[in-house]
Amino acid sequence: MTAPIQTEGAPPRPFDWFRTLGPKGKKAFVGAFGGYGLDSYDFQVLPLGLAAIAAYFSITTGQAGLLTTVTLVVSALGGVLAGILVDRIGRVRTLQVTVATYTIFTVLCGFAPNFETLLIFRAFQGLGFGGEWAAGAILVAEYAKPEYRGRAVAFVQSAWAVGWGLSVIIYTIVFQLFDPDIAWRVLFWTGVIPAFLIIWVRRNLKDPEEITEKREKKADKGSFLAIFRGPMLKTTLFASLLATGVQGGYYTLASWLPTYLKNSRGLDVVGTGGYLAILISGAFLGYVSGGILTDKLGRKRTMQLFATLSAVFMVLYTQVPDGANTLIMILGFPLGFCTSAIFSGFGSFLSELYPTAHRGTGQGFTYNFGRAVGAVFPAIVGFLAASSLGIGGAMIFGAIGYGIAVLALFGLPETLGRQLN
């Protein structure tokens, strides 16, 4: 039974964005939320197990950072390919392909006999990791009403915090039960969980019929070169720069924070999990709150606000003096809130910047180009950490990314309320 549509002039209710999706749209939301949450889970098992992996294979911090960088660089290719597939074979079928890819190679990482093999498996995992977000975010954006699109896609984005939280819980349990030399492998093996989601998606999800008709009528659908022609060229360039800045800053934090808490702050496994839990709680609320703000203040103003705050809190968090770990715990909440809230408007913003025939290609390329270039940040931090700066000092480099994001937004239009054509 379809939920009643809110009458004009009536005050909005908290979950009207979900009620107005309709039966098919609600299933699309569940599929996209699950896919992105498990995407997060499969990504986060690497940073969480990184200290144990580095010790097991006797690798340097620079090599450890390379594991994350390779994942993100290859994910850019996966995102571009998935974006083209989204426009050619549809949103749901692409979602299935990407989830299957990151699931298979996450599990294989647990069987890696050496660092080089792990690097290769992690690179292939990046193919699926890079493509899932574009397919899921576009699917929900196309079902959502314009006035609720920001928060609908933001709730999909909040799945990242849920997957991250789940990975921390599993990490804490696994590393309590097993020796670190085997625990990191078990952590990767738990990445098989998304396989069950693929079965559900196949049985329950469908692309919006109206959007499918528009997409199939276009002769040049999924054309990569089209997003670099005419007025779309400026959009593609500045959107790529925006994605580079935001993800460069974020992946610096996500890749090195567990190691920073262990090595620089002296926390054990349980302590690290507890500190991360506070940051992740802030992240979840940031995703949700940021989505509401993008529908009220606009996409650009919300992103500029949280990009600035993210840079400030990243510097504060990493420069807390020794012996003040309680302050680190307190700062974790606003840091997680701000670095996640900036992502809330990404899905709706990028969906609104491109027409239907090129939406997947444009969104897939810009977001994942940013991921590839932003992936250089964790590697740079890894090499800088080996110097006198240490991990905390090196992580300040990530704040530069948020400054780039603020500047990039001046070159893009506000899309609040735009109809998807």
Side-chain angles (χ1 to χ4, degrees), residues 32-342:
F33 187 94
Y36 196 55
L38 293 171
D39 195 8
S40 168
Y41 181 91
D42 278 11
F43 173 79
Q44 295 293 350
V45 293
L46 174 63
L48 289 168
L50 196 57
I53 292 170
Y56 184 85
F57 290 123
S58 300
I59 57 177
T60 65
T61 55
Q63 289 174 304
L66 191 61
L67 280 169
T68 298
T69 296
V70 165
T71 304
L72 298 177
V73 169
V74 177
S75 77
L77 174 61
V80 172
L81 293 175
I84 295 172
L85 286 176
V86 160
D87 289 332
R88 291 189 176 182
I89 67 173
R91 286 57 167 144
V92 173
R93 289 175 65 188
T94 304
L95 187 65
Q96 294 176 44
V97 171
T98 55
V99 173
T101 302
Y102 74 64
T103 299
I104 291 169
F105 286 101
T106 296
V107 173
L108 286 177
C109 283
F111 293 98
N114 51 51
F115 172 72
E116 292 75 17
T117 304
L118 178 61
L119 198 64
I120 293 171
F121 285 156
R122 194 62 184 177
F124 280 105
Q125 189 267 358
L127 285 175
F129 169 68
E132 190 282 334
W133 180 81
I138 291 172
L139 183 64
V140 174
E142 290 174 340
Y143 272 112
K145 291 183 175 294
E147 62 268 31
Y148 297 127
R149 188 176 296 126
R151 67 199 77 182
V153 180
F155 264 90
V156 173
Q157 202 87 43
S158 73
W160 184 270
V162 175
W164 191 2
L166 178 61
S167 69
V168 170
I169 293 171
I170 299 299
Y171 154 79
T172 304
I173 294 172
V174 168
F175 273 77
Q176 289 293 311
L177 294 177
F178 298 95
D179 184 87
D181 285 350
I182 188 64
W184 68 266
R185 294 187 183 275
V186 175
L187 202 56
F188 277 121
W189 293 335
T190 62
V192 72
I193 298 172
F196 299 100
L197 177 67
I198 301 172
I199 300 172
W200 186 87
V201 168
R202 184 178 179 84
R203 293 179 177 177
N204 292 277
L205 265 59
K206 291 183 178 180
D207 290 355
E209 295 177 4
E210 181 181 352
I211 295 294
T212 300
E213 291 175 5
K214 289 181 180 179
R215 176 177 58 81
E216 292 181 344
K217 286 179 181 178
K218 298 288 185 179
D220 64 340
K221 58 181 180 292
S223 170
F224 181 71
L225 294 178
I227 65 173
F228 294 97
R229 297 192 191 113
M232 280 195 285
L233 173 60
K234 179 183 176 183
T235 297
T236 298
L237 292 178
F238 279 99
S240 298
L241 192 61
L242 169 65
T244 297
V246 171
Q247 296 188 89
Y250 178 78
Y251 283 114
T252 294
L253 183 70
S255 300
W256 286 107
L257 190 59
T259 302
Y260 168 72
L261 291 173
K262 288 179 185 176
N263 297 351
S264 297
R265 310 307 305 192
L267 299 178
D268 59 15
V269 170
V270 176
T272 298
Y275 276 58
L276 288 176
I278 292 174
L279 185 138
I280 293 168
S281 298
F284 179 79
L285 291 177
Y287 283 126
V288 175
S289 302
I292 295 172
L293 287 175
T294 58
D295 283 338
K296 292 184 178 296
L297 300 180
R299 301 351 181 186
K300 291 177 60 176
R301 289 174 63 186
T302 303
M303 288 187 187
Q304 287 175 327
L305 170 65
F306 287 115
T308 302
L309 291 175
S310 294
V312 171
F313 280 112
M314 180 174 283
V315 173
L316 291 176
Y317 191 91
T318 56
Q319 300 310 301
V320 170
D322 292 341
N325 280 1
T326 301
L327 183 56
I328 286 280
M329 180 183 293
I330 294 171
L331 286 174
F333 188 88
L335 177 64
F337 186 96
C338 294
T339 55
S340 298
I342 191 174

Side-chain angles (χ1 to χ4, degrees), residues 2-6 13 15-23 25-26 143-145 147-149 152:
T2 304
I5 302 299
Q6 180 182 315
R13 293 172 294 179
F15 286 93
D16 277 338
W17 64 268
F18 185 73
R19 295 185 184 94
T20 56
L21 285 174
K26 290 175 182 177
Y143 272 112
K145 291 183 175 294
E147 62 268 31
Y148 297 127
R149 188 176 296 126

